[in-house]
Amino acid sequence: MRSKRALTYGVLFFLSGATGLIYELLWVRVLYQSFGSTIQSVTTVVAAYMGGLGLGAWLFGRRADRTPRPGVLYGWLEIAIGVFGILSPLVLGLAHWMYIGTAGALALGGGASVALRFGLAALVLLIPTTLMGGTLPVLTRALTGEDRGLLKPSLGRLYGLNTLGAMTGTALAGFFLIEFIGVRASLWTTATVNLAIGVAAIVLGREQSLPDPGREPGEVQISPRDSLTTLALVLLGVTAFAALLDEIAWTRVLIMIVGGSTYAFTLILLVFLLGIGLGSIIVARRSAPRVDTAAGAALAQGITGIGAALLFVFFGFLPSYIIAVFQIADLSAASRLLLMGVAVGAVVLIPAIGMGMTFPLLTDLTARSAKARGEDVGAAYALNTIGSILGAVLTGFVLVVALGTQATLRVGLIVNGIAALALAGLAARGIAEASAEDRRIRLRVLTAGALGTLTLLAAAAAPGWSTRLIDLGPTIYARQPMDQAARQRFLEHRGVRQLSFREGPNATVSVWEGETGRSLRVNGKVDASDRGDMDTQIMLGLAPVVARPGATSAFVIGQGTGVTTRVLATVPGMTRVKVVEIEPAVLQMDSFFLGVNDSVLARPNVHAVVDDARSALQLDRDRYDVIVSEPSNPWVAGIATLYTPEFFRIAKARLGDDGVFCQWIQLYQLPLPIVAGIVRSLREVFPHVHVWFGGTADLV
């Protein structure tokens, strides 16, 4: 009976993981449309989301120990999540109205704007994420009862299945739901699944009745902490910090190689979640003596560290592999994505498996030895979440920008290496040589120690990769058929030099110089230049002022080389030009293009703002005679929202009388139906639309 109940709960929790990630991706997507997609907005939303998960685990872990039917409590949590899912479009709309109204009226910026975003994100997400965070400790309690030996296998299996469900939800949302069903219908469909999970869990949970686990006479509720327990508690937070650090740094590196599309981001997250899920299931065995668990946790961190170190070995081969994939004739898009997943897996899968092994093992080390308690699982999950929040905040805001991706990854290696050695040392301490315990854990301890040492050596001495190699954009510029000699020429990129390479908070930006002039690259993709793109860049500035004689104000989305801004700023009578650029590193590259932009950012009538264009326009209370939108390509992750009717309506609301909106659209590497759809969206919002050729492959 117990195995049947465990199987049923496992299926329900798998589905719960899928719905949780679908909610996260959909809610975050909607909040980004209000707050923008800058690193500040992304981090505040993620921190609020994770904070709710940690709070829920801590609160409901305690509550689970006081209810005789935790399965029923789990069911009600799922039903409450489903109810919020149904209401979430209304709640998200209210948050949008509050943010735009408050931030716009008070002209908030800097820290005040970030604080408002975090407050509203917490207000919206606190209830559902608290409920979600409570599901793991409550359901673990339902499966284990008071049998301490079942804690690790139940937790490992549930955590693994939930993560694999999250992987499924990521695939559904990233590849299907958003594009073909839409956000609102997807939310309601997902909410229906939660309601069904809840009903099934309540029916199943009514068959179970646990004794009241209240304090018994003479019972000691808190076990005295030894050094191993203390270390495990610390590592629950520290290893989670390193895991988020690795995930963010890997993503920053891999999008340079596999491309910056939404599908590429989804692929990286899929492989990461797959590894964590598999790792958790691998260790889902009945609890063993603490020294065995400590040896296993040491080995898990050793696997994580050495797997992450392999990136420094694999990375030099990844561009060649991606080029080879694009040289395969008649390869479908799905097959190409699958082959790129192999490249992602080479970097992410092994260390992610180690990360997945770590959490159940460390939780088992910190839990009390007498009886299984949901409170112990909840506290461990809360500590893990705190570490994850710190990892996301410090990596995104500080480490990548200040140290660079390579040095940031080395920080993660140091954490993994030290964790492996510390756990291995404490596992072996006090074990008599040649004893039964020694024979049982010797191999794991020695292997963990060796892997930890190699990880630290890799952190200190592994050769870094070339910034030239990372910046080639093979998924964009290696699509044409090439023989072996042509591939080698592409990889060497002879005849051009990289003048600058900066890893900003939102993207990696570089400037290259060759016979055809200088080009500005963002995440390996050329977004502007002082030669080949000049006709389009000039046209984007001239066309709208010709259509709107006497223009005195302009709003420019995307700085690029600054040519369009310079054209607008030099128009007779132009008194005010506002430039919005999401990546500050792009503005820092302005000095490399002074020959074509004439130091435009130093002009008194030009004002540059670092922000997301959608957010900036919604908060701006001024009106403009001309708005020029020249963001990156629509297929780049996060950019597609600037080509929608919703965004065009936002822009129209900021135009003055007889104002003109000018939009750049690419004709290359974009299916003609997509181009036609963008033009159709423009015509839906603006009554009069003229289409010009800005160049051979660009429309204005």
Side-chain angles (χ1 to χ4, degrees):
M1 182 66 183
R2 168 171 280 182
S3 61
K4 181 180 178 181
R5 185 171 70 246
L7 177 62
T8 305
Y9 278 138
V11 172
L12 294 179
F13 211 44
F14 174 89
L15 295 174
S16 178
T19 61
L21 248 292
I22 291 173
Y23 282 134
E24 180 179 357
L25 293 175
L26 295 178
W27 289 339
V28 166
R29 180 185 178 90
V30 174
L31 286 172
Y32 287 172
Q33 292 178 3
S34 300
F35 300 164
S37 55
T38 61
I39 185 65
Q40 291 87 353
S41 297
V42 172
T43 305
T44 52
V45 172
V46 170
Y49 197 96
M50 289 183 173
L53 294 178
L55 177 63
W58 183 74
L59 288 175
F60 285 102
R62 293 167 173 263
R63 180 71 181 87
D65 292 333
R66 297 195 297 270
T67 178
R69 292 186 175 85
V72 174
L73 175 59
Y74 167 71
W76 284 114
L77 290 175
E78 291 286 355
I79 288 174
I81 293 168
V83 170
F84 186 90
I86 294 172
L87 299 176
S88 59
L90 177 63
V91 177
L92 291 167
L94 180 62
H96 170 82
W97 177 81
M98 292 175 65
Y99 175 69
I100 299 303
T102 304
L106 300 178
L108 296 181
S113 176
V114 172
L116 178 61
R117 296 175 200 182
F118 179 79
L120 287 174
L123 184 66
V124 170
L125 299 176
L126 186 62
I127 292 176
T129 54
T130 299
L131 297 170
M132 291 176 184
T135 57
L136 179 62
V138 169
L139 196 53
T140 302
R141 169 70 175 165
L143 282 181
T144 61
E146 294 191 337
D147 189 342
R148 179 63 176 79
L150 291 176
L151 179 62
K152 183 162 69 72
S154 298
L155 176 61
R157 193 174 299 112
L158 287 174
Y159 189 66
L161 288 171
N162 191 256
T163 305
L164 293 177
M167 181 192 73
T168 305
T170 300
L172 286 172
F175 297 133
F176 177 72
L177 292 177
I178 293 175
E179 182 174 355
F180 297 104
I181 296 182
V183 172
R184 180 166 297 192
S186 296
L187 285 172
W188 289 340
T189 302
T190 306
T192 303
V193 176
N194 280 114
L195 295 176
I197 294 171
V199 171
I202 289 174
V203 172
L204 186 63
R206 284 175 176 169
E207 302 173 3
Q208 181 186 30
S209 181
L210 298 177
D212 185 356
R215 182 186 293 270
E216 299 173 1
E219 181 183 0
V220 178
Q221 289 293 315
I222 304 298
S223 302
R225 289 182 185 171
D226 57 15
S227 55
L228 185 55
T229 302
T230 301
L231 177 63
L233 286 168
V234 172
L235 290 182
L236 276 167
V238 173
T239 57
F241 170 88
L244 259 291
L245 177 152
D246 284 335
E247 182 188 3
I248 293 171
W250 288 335
T251 302
R252 289 292 297 265
V253 172
L254 286 170
I255 61 173
M256 305 285 289
I257 303 299
V258 301
S261 68
T262 301
Y263 292 155
F265 276 91
T266 302
L267 185 64
I268 296 169
L269 181 57
L270 277 175
V271 177
F272 185 74
L273 293 173
L274 173 63
I276 290 179
L278 292 176
S280 298
I281 291 175
I282 287 172
V283 298
R285 296 189 296 272
R286 190 172 183 86
S287 295
R290 298 185 81 232
V291 293
D292 293 73
T293 304
L299 183 59
Q301 277 300 291
I303 291 172
T304 302
I306 203 66
L310 288 176
L311 169 63
F312 292 90
V313 177
F314 289 151
F315 198 79
F317 302 101
L318 290 182
S320 298
Y321 174 80
I322 295 298
I323 293 173
V325 168
F326 277 88
Q327 296 304 303
I328 301 175
D330 301 322
L331 191 65
S332 67
S335 299
R336 184 179 293 120
L337 195 64
L338 183 62
L339 289 175
M340 287 197 292
V342 174
V344 175
V347 174
V348 174
L349 189 60
I350 293 176
I353 288 174
M355 294 172 187
M357 296 168 63
T358 299
F359 174 69
L361 292 170
L362 291 179
T363 302
D364 193 51
L365 286 175
T366 61
R368 281 164 284 194
S369 58
K371 297 178 181 179
R373 289 286 185 265
E375 179 183 354
D376 296 332
V377 176
Y381 191 76
L383 282 173
N384 196 256
T385 303
I386 291 171
S388 298
I389 293 172
L390 291 175
V393 172
L394 291 179
T395 304
F397 277 108
V398 180
L399 295 178
V400 169
V401 178
L403 304 179
T405 304
Q406 291 195 50
T408 298
L409 286 171
R410 294 180 195 272
V411 171
L413 294 182
I414 292 171
V415 171
N416 298 138
I418 292 176
L421 292 175
L423 286 165
L426 286 183
R429 190 177 66 175
I431 302 296
E433 189 173 353
S435 65
E437 284 185 320
D438 178 61
R439 290 192 297 271
R440 197 171 63 242
I441 70 170
R442 174 184 290 271
L443 180 60
R444 281 174 289 173
V445 167
L446 291 177
T447 303
L451 293 179
T453 302
L454 289 174
T455 298
L456 292 176
L457 289 174
W465 54 75
S466 165
T467 58
R468 285 175 59 91
L469 185 65
I470 195 178
D471 207 21
L472 298 179
T475 59
I476 304 171
Y477 305 113
R479 291 173 174 259
Q480 70 278 11
M482 294 188 290
D483 57 24
Q484 188 59 40
R487 297 185 199 183
Q488 192 61 35
R489 287 194 299 271
F490 178 85
L491 290 171
E492 293 175 355
H493 249 51
R494 293 179 180 175
V496 294
R497 57 176 180 157
Q498 192 182 65
L499 300 179
S500 182
F501 181 90
R502 296 187 182 181
E503 293 178 295
N506 301 290
T508 301
V509 183
S510 63
V511 175
W512 289 68
E513 183 178 55
E515 293 181 356
T516 58
R518 293 180 176 180
S519 60
L520 178 78
R521 293 190 176 219
V522 178
N523 288 337
K525 178 193 169 299
V526 175
D527 269 352
S529 69
D530 63 3
R531 186 76 61 88
D533 296 309
M534 286 296 290
D535 48 2
T536 300
Q537 292 168 164
I538 293 173
M539 188 77 162
L540 281 165
L542 288 179
V545 294
V546 169
R548 174 57 169 88
T552 60
S553 59
F555 187 102
V556 181
I557 299 171
Q559 168 70 357
T561 59
V563 171
T564 301
T565 305
R566 191 260 302 173
V567 170
L568 287 167
T570 55
V571 169
M574 186 67 69
T575 60
R576 180 167 52 97
V577 178
K578 183 175 182 178
V579 185
V580 173
E581 172 57 54
I582 192 171
E583 176 49 63
V586 171
L587 299 177
Q588 294 167 3
M589 297 297 184
D590 180 71
S591 60
F592 291 97
F593 298 97
L594 297 180
V596 291
N597 67 32
D598 197 24
S599 302
V600 65
L601 293 181
R603 288 177 173 268
N605 63 337
V606 175
H607 174 56
V609 175
V610 177
D611 199 356
D612 175 270
R614 189 182 183 107
S615 174
L617 272 176
Q618 290 181 109
L619 298 180
D620 201 328
R621 290 297 181 261
D622 294 330
R623 292 185 177 272
Y624 299 89
D625 297 323
V626 169
I627 296 178
V628 176
S629 180
E630 48 176 339
S632 192
N633 306 67
W635 50 263
V636 175
I639 301 297
T641 58
L642 301 183
Y643 290 87
T644 61
E646 292 79 11
F647 174 72
F648 296 148
R649 292 189 185 96
I650 292 170
K652 184 179 181 180
R654 299 270 63 82
L655 286 173
D657 295 337
D658 300 322
V660 173
F661 177 77
C662 185
Q663 174 71 57
W664 167 81
I665 305 174
Q666 69 174 100
L667 291 178
Y668 52 92
Q669 296 183 355
L670 195 66
L672 191 57
I674 300 296
V675 176
I678 295 172
V679 175
R680 188 163 51 248
S681 296
L682 283 164
R683 295 187 62 185
E684 179 182 327
V685 176
F686 297 98
H688 306 290
V689 176
H690 292 257
V691 180
W692 301 56
F693 277 99
T696 57
D698 301 283
L699 294 181
V700 175

